[in-house]
Amino acid sequence: KNQVEQSPQSLIILEGKNCTLQCNYTVSPFSNLRWYKQDTGRGPVSLTIMTFSENTKSNGRYTATLDADTKQSSLHITASQLSDSASYICVVRGNSGYALNFGKGTSLLVTP
Amino acid sequence: GAVVSQHPSWVICKSGTSVKIECRSLDFQATTMFWYRQFPKQSLMLMATSNEGSKATYEQGVEKDKFLINHASLTLSTLTVTSAHPEDSSFYICSASEMTVAKNIQYFGAGTRLSVL
């Protein structure tokens, strides 16, 4: 069964600090990997999307990395802000059809 | 980016009644729309995939007679929770996929919180 595992499950950091979230997957064959930010009570919003050949993708203070050989991805958040408090979800799409494989997310809390 | 509008954002209903949730792609045509369900602190779980003009494909364990899906146009899909019960209370999220295969990206709605009393 295709799986997407995220770590840590939850994280608390001080405002202004950096943090890195991890995503390991077993989806094969692989099409692309996306990171989403989901605020409480809202739908997911796309942060980055990377295909097999991409190693790094940035979106402002968010930088995602991908190692397709080891099937690992990370999301690095720089100079965190209170508004970064949310759930960050790693989503992996295989090559067949539209099916997306969702991680359970990392719940990030940024405190003053 | 593409916008998917979901309505209502929150609905409270009595047990036994039916609730309809709308999902619209505002600035693109979506041949395929998806309905997800999310419990607190859990990941999104795909309920069904709907293609415009055809019957929806339901995931295993999802009752098609309870969760009626209609995708009558390229910009609108609806999910009707029939005879709702408290255990149906959840966060329902739709997503829509752009028509161009090369841009097969799902855009998510803001979600609908359903509370069944």
Side-chain angles (χ1 to χ4, degrees), chain A residues 9 32 34 36 38 40-46 49 89 93 97-100 102-105 107, chain B residues 31-32 34 36 38 41-44 49 51 91 93 97-98 104-111 113:
Chain A
Q9 185 176 11
N32 58 60
R34 315 137 191 248
Y36 286 90
Q38 185 178 22
T40 301
R42 307 290 293 176
V45 175
S46 180
I49 177 171
I89 305 172
R93 177 168 178 258
Y98 292 97
L100 298 181
F102 289 82
K104 289 187 176 181
S107 179
Chain B
T31 49
T32 306
F34 307 85
Y36 296 87
Q38 186 178 32
K41 299 188 184 300
Q42 296 293 317
S43 180
L44 279 73
T49 302
N51 292 296
F91 193 54
I93 304 173
S97 184
E98 283 200 68
N104 194 348
I105 299 175
Q106 288 189 28
Y107 300 96
F108 289 88
R113 181 159 303 283

Coordinates of all heavy atoms in Angstrom, one line a residue, chain A residues 9 32 34 36 38 40-46 49 89 93 97-100 102-105 107, chain B residues 31-32 34 36 38 41-44 49 51 91 93 97-98 104-111 113:
Chain A
Q9 N 5.0 14.8 14.3 CA 3.5 14.9 14.3 C 3.1 16.3 14.6 O 2.2 16.9 14.1 CB 2.9 13.9 15.2 CG 1.4 13.9 15.2 CD 0.8 12.8 16.1 OE1 1.5 12.2 16.9 NE2 -0.5 12.5 16.0
N32 N 4.6 13.3 -8.7 CA 5.1 14.6 -8.1 C 4.7 14.6 -6.6 O 4.0 13.7 -6.1 CB 4.4 15.8 -8.8 CG 2.9 15.7 -8.8 OD1 2.3 15.7 -7.7 ND2 2.3 15.7 -9.9
R34 N 3.8 17.3 -3.4 CA 3.4 18.6 -3.0 C 3.3 18.8 -1.5 O 3.1 17.9 -0.8 CB 1.9 18.9 -3.6 CG 1.7 18.4 -5.0 CD 0.4 17.7 -5.1 NE 0.2 17.0 -6.4 CZ -0.6 17.3 -7.3 NH1 -1.4 18.4 -7.1 NH2 -0.7 16.6 -8.4
Y36 N 1.3 21.2 1.2 CA 0.2 22.0 1.4 C 0.2 22.6 2.8 O 0.7 21.9 3.8 CB -1.1 21.3 1.2 CG -1.5 21.0 -0.2 CD1 -1.1 19.8 -0.8 CD2 -2.3 21.8 -0.9 CE1 -1.4 19.5 -2.1 CE2 -2.6 21.5 -2.3 CZ -2.2 20.3 -2.8 OH -2.6 20.0 -4.1
Q38 N -2.5 23.9 5.7 CA -3.9 23.9 6.0 C -4.1 24.6 7.3 O -3.8 24.1 8.3 CB -4.5 22.4 6.0 CG -6.0 22.4 6.2 CD -6.6 21.0 6.2 OE1 -5.9 20.0 6.4 NE2 -7.9 20.9 6.0
T40 N -6.5 25.8 10.3 CA -7.6 25.1 11.0 C -9.0 25.6 10.4 O -9.3 26.7 10.3 CB -7.6 25.5 12.5 OG1 -6.4 25.1 13.1 CG2 -8.8 24.8 13.2
G41 N -9.8 24.6 10.0 CA -11.1 24.9 9.5 C -11.1 25.4 8.1 O -12.1 25.9 7.6
R42 N -10.0 25.2 7.4 CA -9.9 25.7 6.0 C -9.4 24.5 5.1 O -8.8 23.5 5.6 CB -8.9 26.9 5.9 CG -9.2 28.0 6.8 CD -10.5 28.7 6.4 NE -10.3 29.4 5.1 CZ -11.3 30.1 4.5 NH1 -12.5 30.1 5.0 NH2 -11.0 30.7 3.4
G43 N -9.5 24.7 3.8 CA -9.0 23.7 2.9 C -7.5 23.9 2.7 O -6.9 24.9 3.0
P44 N -6.8 22.9 2.2 CA -5.3 22.9 2.0 C -5.0 23.9 0.9 O -5.7 24.1 -0.1 CB -5.0 21.5 1.5 CG -6.1 20.7 1.9 CD -7.3 21.5 1.9
V45 N -3.9 24.6 1.0 CA -3.4 25.6 0.1 C -2.0 25.1 -0.4 O -1.2 24.9 0.5 CB -3.4 27.0 0.6 CG1 -2.7 28.0 -0.4 CG2 -4.8 27.5 1.0
S46 N -1.8 25.1 -1.7 CA -0.5 24.5 -2.2 C 0.6 25.5 -1.9 O 0.5 26.7 -2.1 CB -0.6 24.3 -3.7 OG 0.6 23.8 -4.2
I49 N 5.2 22.3 -5.5 CA 5.0 21.1 -6.2 C 6.3 20.7 -6.9 O 6.9 21.6 -7.5 CB 3.8 21.1 -7.1 CG1 3.7 19.8 -7.9 CG2 3.9 22.3 -8.1 CD1 2.4 19.7 -8.7
I89 N 0.9 19.5 5.1 CA 0.6 18.2 4.6 C 1.4 17.9 3.4 O 1.5 18.7 2.5 CB -0.9 18.1 4.2 CG1 -1.8 18.4 5.4 CG2 -1.2 16.7 3.8 CD1 -3.3 18.5 5.1
R93 N 1.7 12.1 -5.5 CA 0.9 11.5 -6.6 C 1.7 10.5 -7.3 O 2.8 10.7 -7.7 CB 0.4 12.6 -7.5 CG -0.4 12.1 -8.7 CD -1.1 13.3 -9.4 NE -1.8 12.7 -10.6 CZ -1.3 12.8 -11.8 NH1 -0.2 13.4 -12.1 NH2 -2.0 12.3 -12.8
G97 N -3.6 7.6 -12.9 CA -4.8 8.3 -12.5 C -4.6 9.5 -11.7 O -3.5 10.2 -11.8
Y98 N -5.6 9.9 -11.0 CA -5.5 11.2 -10.2 C -5.2 11.0 -8.8 O -5.1 11.9 -8.0 CB -6.9 11.9 -10.3 CG -7.3 12.4 -11.7 CD1 -8.1 11.6 -12.5 CD2 -6.8 13.6 -12.1 CE1 -8.4 12.1 -13.8 CE2 -7.2 14.1 -13.3 CZ -8.0 13.4 -14.1 OH -8.4 13.8 -15.4
A99 N -5.1 9.7 -8.3 CA -5.0 9.4 -6.9 C -3.9 10.1 -6.2 O -2.8 10.1 -6.7 CB -4.9 7.9 -6.7
L100 N -4.2 10.8 -5.1 CA -3.2 11.5 -4.3 C -3.1 10.7 -3.0 O -4.0 10.2 -2.5 CB -3.7 12.9 -4.0 CG -3.8 13.8 -5.1 CD1 -4.3 15.2 -4.6 CD2 -2.6 13.9 -6.0
F102 N -2.0 11.1 0.8 CA -1.9 12.2 1.8 C -1.1 11.7 3.0 O -1.4 10.6 3.6 CB -3.2 12.7 2.3 CG -4.0 13.5 1.2 CD1 -4.7 12.8 0.2 CD2 -3.9 14.9 1.2 CE1 -5.4 13.6 -0.7 CE2 -4.6 15.6 0.3 CZ -5.3 14.9 -0.7
G103 N -0.2 12.5 3.5 CA 0.4 12.3 4.8 C -0.6 12.8 5.9 O -1.6 13.5 5.5
K104 N -0.4 12.5 7.1 CA -1.3 12.9 8.2 C -1.0 14.4 8.6 O -1.8 15.0 9.3 CB -1.2 12.0 9.4 CG -1.8 10.6 9.2 CD -1.8 9.8 10.4 CE -2.5 8.5 10.2 NZ -2.6 7.7 11.4
G105 N 0.1 14.9 8.1 CA 0.4 16.3 8.4 C 1.2 16.5 9.7 O 1.3 15.7 10.6
S107 N 1.6 19.3 12.6 CA 0.9 20.5 13.2 C 2.0 21.4 13.8 O 2.7 21.1 14.7 CB -0.1 20.1 14.3 OG -0.7 21.2 14.9
Chain B
T31 N -12.9 18.9 -15.3 CA -13.6 17.6 -15.8 C -13.7 16.7 -14.6 O -14.6 15.8 -14.6 CB -12.8 16.9 -16.9 OG1 -11.4 16.9 -16.5 CG2 -12.9 17.7 -18.2
T32 N -12.8 16.8 -13.7 CA -12.9 15.9 -12.5 C -12.9 16.6 -11.2 O -12.1 17.6 -11.0 CB -11.6 14.9 -12.6 OG1 -11.6 14.3 -13.8 CG2 -11.7 13.9 -11.4
F34 N -13.2 16.0 -6.8 CA -13.0 15.0 -5.8 C -13.6 15.5 -4.5 O -13.7 16.7 -4.2 CB -11.5 14.8 -5.5 CG -10.7 14.5 -6.8 CD1 -10.2 15.5 -7.6 CD2 -10.4 13.2 -7.1 CE1 -9.5 15.3 -8.7 CE2 -9.7 12.9 -8.3 CZ -9.2 14.0 -9.1
Y36 N -13.5 14.9 -0.3 CA -12.8 14.3 0.8 C -13.5 14.5 2.1 O -14.3 15.4 2.2 CB -11.4 15.0 0.9 CG -10.5 14.8 -0.3 CD1 -10.5 15.6 -1.4 CD2 -9.5 13.8 -0.3 CE1 -9.7 15.4 -2.5 CE2 -8.6 13.6 -1.4 CZ -8.7 14.4 -2.5 OH -7.9 14.2 -3.5
Q38 N -12.5 14.8 6.3 CA -11.4 14.9 7.2 C -11.9 15.0 8.7 O -12.6 15.9 9.0 CB -10.5 16.2 6.9 CG -9.3 16.3 7.7 CD -8.5 17.5 7.3 OE1 -9.0 18.5 7.0 NE2 -7.1 17.4 7.4
K41 N -7.5 16.2 13.3 CA -6.1 15.8 13.4 C -5.8 14.5 12.5 O -4.9 13.8 12.8 CB -5.8 15.4 14.9 CG -5.9 16.6 15.8 CD -5.3 16.3 17.2 CE -5.5 17.5 18.2 NZ -4.9 18.7 17.7
Q42 N -6.7 14.3 11.5 CA -6.5 13.2 10.6 C -6.2 13.8 9.2 O -6.5 14.9 8.9 CB -7.7 12.3 10.6 CG -7.9 11.6 11.9 CD -6.8 10.6 12.2 OE1 -6.3 9.9 11.4 NE2 -6.4 10.6 13.5
S43 N -5.7 12.9 8.4 CA -5.5 13.3 7.0 C -6.8 13.3 6.2 O -7.8 12.8 6.6 CB -4.5 12.4 6.3 OG -4.2 12.7 5.0
L44 N -6.7 14.0 5.0 CA -7.9 13.9 4.1 C -8.1 12.5 3.6 O -7.1 11.8 3.3 CB -7.7 14.9 2.9 CG -7.9 16.3 3.1 CD1 -6.9 17.0 4.0 CD2 -8.1 17.0 1.8
T49 N -14.6 10.2 -6.5 CA -14.1 11.0 -7.7 C -15.3 11.2 -8.7 O -15.9 10.2 -9.0 CB -13.0 10.3 -8.4 OG1 -11.9 10.0 -7.4 CG2 -12.5 11.1 -9.5
N51 N -16.6 12.6 -12.4 CA -16.3 13.2 -13.7 C -17.6 13.8 -14.3 O -18.7 13.2 -14.2 CB -15.8 12.1 -14.6 CG -14.4 11.6 -14.2 OD1 -13.5 12.4 -14.2 ND2 -14.3 10.4 -13.8
F91 N -15.5 17.3 8.5 CA -15.1 18.4 7.6 C -15.0 17.9 6.2 O -14.2 16.9 6.0 CB -13.7 19.0 8.1 CG -13.3 20.3 7.5 CD1 -14.1 21.4 7.5 CD2 -12.1 20.4 6.8 CE1 -13.8 22.6 7.0 CE2 -11.7 21.6 6.3 CZ -12.5 22.7 6.3
I93 N -14.2 18.4 2.2 CA -13.4 19.2 1.3 C -13.6 18.7 -0.1 O -13.4 17.5 -0.3 CB -12.0 19.3 1.7 CG1 -11.8 19.7 3.2 CG2 -11.2 20.2 0.8 CD1 -10.4 19.6 3.7
S97 N -9.8 19.4 -10.6 CA -8.6 19.2 -11.4 C -8.8 19.9 -12.7 O -9.9 19.8 -13.3 CB -8.4 17.7 -11.6 OG -7.2 17.5 -12.3
E98 N -7.8 20.7 -13.1 CA -7.9 21.4 -14.4 C -8.0 20.4 -15.5 O -7.5 19.3 -15.5 CB -6.7 22.3 -14.6 CG -6.7 23.5 -13.7 CD -5.8 24.6 -14.3 OE1 -6.0 25.1 -15.4 OE2 -4.8 24.9 -13.6
N104 N -2.2 18.7 -14.4 CA -3.1 17.9 -13.6 C -2.8 18.2 -12.1 O -2.1 17.5 -11.4 CB -2.8 16.4 -13.9 CG -3.9 15.6 -13.3 OD1 -4.8 16.0 -12.5 ND2 -4.0 14.3 -13.7
I105 N -3.3 19.3 -11.7 CA -3.2 19.8 -10.3 C -4.6 19.9 -9.7 O -5.5 20.4 -10.3 CB -2.5 21.2 -10.3 CG1 -1.1 21.0 -10.9 CG2 -2.4 21.7 -8.9 CD1 -0.4 22.4 -11.0
Q106 N -4.7 19.5 -8.5 CA -5.9 19.6 -7.8 C -5.9 20.9 -6.9 O -4.9 21.1 -6.2 CB -6.1 18.4 -6.8 CG -6.5 17.1 -7.6 CD -6.9 16.0 -6.6 OE1 -7.4 16.3 -5.6 NE2 -6.7 14.8 -7.1
Y107 N -7.0 21.6 -7.1 CA -7.1 22.8 -6.3 C -8.3 22.6 -5.3 O -9.3 22.1 -5.7 CB -7.5 24.0 -7.2 CG -6.4 24.3 -8.2 CD1 -6.5 23.8 -9.5 CD2 -5.3 25.1 -7.9 CE1 -5.5 24.1 -10.4 CE2 -4.3 25.4 -8.8 CZ -4.4 24.9 -10.1 OH -3.4 25.1 -11.0
F108 N -8.0 22.9 -4.0 CA -8.9 22.6 -3.0 C -9.9 23.7 -2.6 O -9.5 24.9 -2.6 CB -8.2 22.1 -1.7 CG -7.5 20.8 -1.9 CD1 -6.2 20.7 -2.4 CD2 -8.2 19.7 -1.5 CE1 -5.6 19.5 -2.5 CE2 -7.6 18.4 -1.6 CZ -6.3 18.3 -2.1
G109 N -11.1 23.4 -2.3 CA -12.0 24.3 -1.7 C -11.6 24.6 -0.2 O -10.8 23.9 0.3
A110 N -12.3 25.5 0.4 CA -12.1 25.9 1.8 C -12.7 25.0 2.8 O -12.4 25.0 4.0 CB -12.5 27.3 2.0
G111 N -13.5 24.0 2.3 CA -14.1 23.0 3.2 C -15.4 23.4 3.7 O -15.8 24.6 3.8
R113 N -17.8 22.5 7.2 CA -17.9 21.8 8.4 C -19.4 21.4 8.6 O -20.2 22.3 8.7 CB -17.4 22.6 9.6 CG -17.5 21.9 10.9 CD -16.5 22.5 12.0 NE -15.1 22.5 11.5 CZ -14.3 21.4 11.5 NH1 -14.8 20.3 11.8 NH2 -13.1 21.5 11.1

